[in-house]
Amino acid sequence: MVRTAGRSERPARTSVWLEGKEPRGGASRGGGQPSGLDRDLITRTTVRLLDAEGLAKFSMRRLAAELNVTAMSLYWYVDTKDDLLELALDAAFGEMDLPDPDAGDADWRDQLRALATAYRGLLVRHPWLSPLAGTFLNIGPHSRGFSSAVQRVVRRTGLPAQGQMGATSAVFQFVYGFGTIEGHFIARCAAAGMTQEAYFRKAMSSVAGDPDLGDVVRRSADLMAARGGDTVEEMRERDFTFALELLIAGIEAMVERAE
């Protein structure tokens, strides 16, 4: 490949947390730096906008309008939009209450349930989080805190070292998928101006009326009935709880097998 003479190649950006520089902005100002802003305020406002309007509608111009500044003012505090999204992602991870995995009388099963439930709740509250978590490195301080808590709990299960990452993946990739679908379903219902119940029943009736899909619905009717729950939320809660207990039982079985 021919390179243009005199043009230096910029290294690929990997993470805002690896830039090796302090956040710009703060108490001292100069050179046109806007007043009344700091990176924490910008990050909090980004999270609020992403919650209200979604990832597709987010832009630096939209954020600047919300903060009543120019879009260029934001670049005193971040280099790129991706940097800001990565900061928002880590700020959201900071919402979780993490159990103390070093508590002597704590049961690893209860702590694993608590971590899985907290992560699911995060994904549901912030539907924009899942695509970002799958895009960035997740190495901010709050993300690392969550990962560290998970690792310490999984170590206490008694699984051999070679199986601990697999167990972590089984539990938290399940939660990631479950919470992502749940969060997006809730957002879709809200965008349609319908309750979850109304949206679900309309979707099911539409599918049942399709000659190519109706048989699938009818064959699964007994499973739907056995599933239990009077509302979409109750059915979903039963599914999540049962699936998580299956995974915990699987970890227990693998621990016994290794002994």
Side-chain angles (χ1 to χ4, degrees):
M1 181 175 67
V2 178
R3 298 181 181 180
T4 303
R7 177 179 296 175
S8 60
E9 292 185 354
R10 295 183 60 186
R13 296 177 64 86
T14 54
S15 172
V16 68
W17 305 107
L18 297 176
E19 290 302 302
K21 59 186 177 185
E22 293 297 319
R24 288 181 290 185
S28 61
R29 295 180 59 237
Q33 180 180 335
S35 63
L37 287 182
D38 59 56
R39 201 160 81 168
D40 287 342
L41 173 62
I42 294 171
T43 301
R44 290 195 305 271
T45 306
T46 297
V47 171
R48 181 164 54 80
L49 278 179
L50 289 168
D51 286 344
E53 301 177 2
L55 184 59
K57 293 183 179 180
F58 180 78
S59 68
M60 298 296 270
R61 289 183 180 276
R62 176 68 187 91
L63 175 62
E66 186 72 13
L67 291 166
N68 197 29
V69 299
T70 65
M72 289 304 299
S73 300
L74 301 175
Y75 292 103
W76 278 97
Y77 305 92
V78 292
D79 287 336
T80 68
K81 175 182 170 182
D82 278 356
D83 285 355
L84 187 51
L85 291 175
E86 194 174 5
L87 291 170
L89 172 65
D90 194 67
F93 268 95
E95 296 175 8
M96 286 188 286
D97 292 326
L98 303 179
D100 179 6
D102 297 322
D105 58 347
D107 189 302
W108 68 262
R109 299 161 189 82
D110 292 336
Q111 292 195 324
L112 196 62
R113 292 183 188 104
L115 286 165
T117 300
Y119 189 36
R120 173 195 173 192
L122 190 71
L123 291 160
V124 171
R125 286 194 305 276
H126 305 300
W128 51 269
L129 188 143
S130 57
L132 296 186
T135 299
F136 296 116
L137 291 179
N138 298 283
I139 57 172
H142 297 302
S143 297
R144 294 199 311 269
F146 175 67
S147 296
S148 178
V150 169
Q151 289 172 7
R152 284 182 288 173
V153 169
V154 172
R155 286 193 189 101
R156 294 179 57 240
T157 64
L159 283 169
Q162 66 267 25
Q164 290 177 14
M165 287 304 297
T168 300
S169 296
V171 174
F172 289 95
Q173 289 188 23
F174 151 68
V175 177
Y176 176 86
F178 194 101
T180 295
I181 293 172
E182 181 180 4
H184 288 187
F185 177 79
I186 293 171
R188 192 159 55 247
C189 294
M194 302 173 69
T195 65
Q196 293 185 61
E197 295 301 310
Y199 191 98
F200 176 75
R201 298 190 188 286
K202 181 177 180 180
M204 291 301 292
S205 62
S206 298
V207 171
D210 188 305
D212 295 327
L213 301 175
D215 285 345
V216 175
V217 175
R218 285 187 287 273
R219 284 196 298 269
S220 62
D222 57 335
L223 296 177
M224 294 288 289
R227 185 187 200 187
D230 295 326
T231 67
V232 172
E233 291 88 343
E234 289 175 354
M235 289 188 289
R236 190 185 293 125
E237 195 65 35
R238 288 172 185 261
D239 288 347
F240 180 82
T241 300
F242 188 81
L244 183 57
E245 292 306 311
L246 278 178
L247 292 167
I248 290 174
I251 292 173
E252 292 173 332
M254 294 302 288
V255 170
E256 291 180 4
R257 181 183 296 182
E259 291 177 350

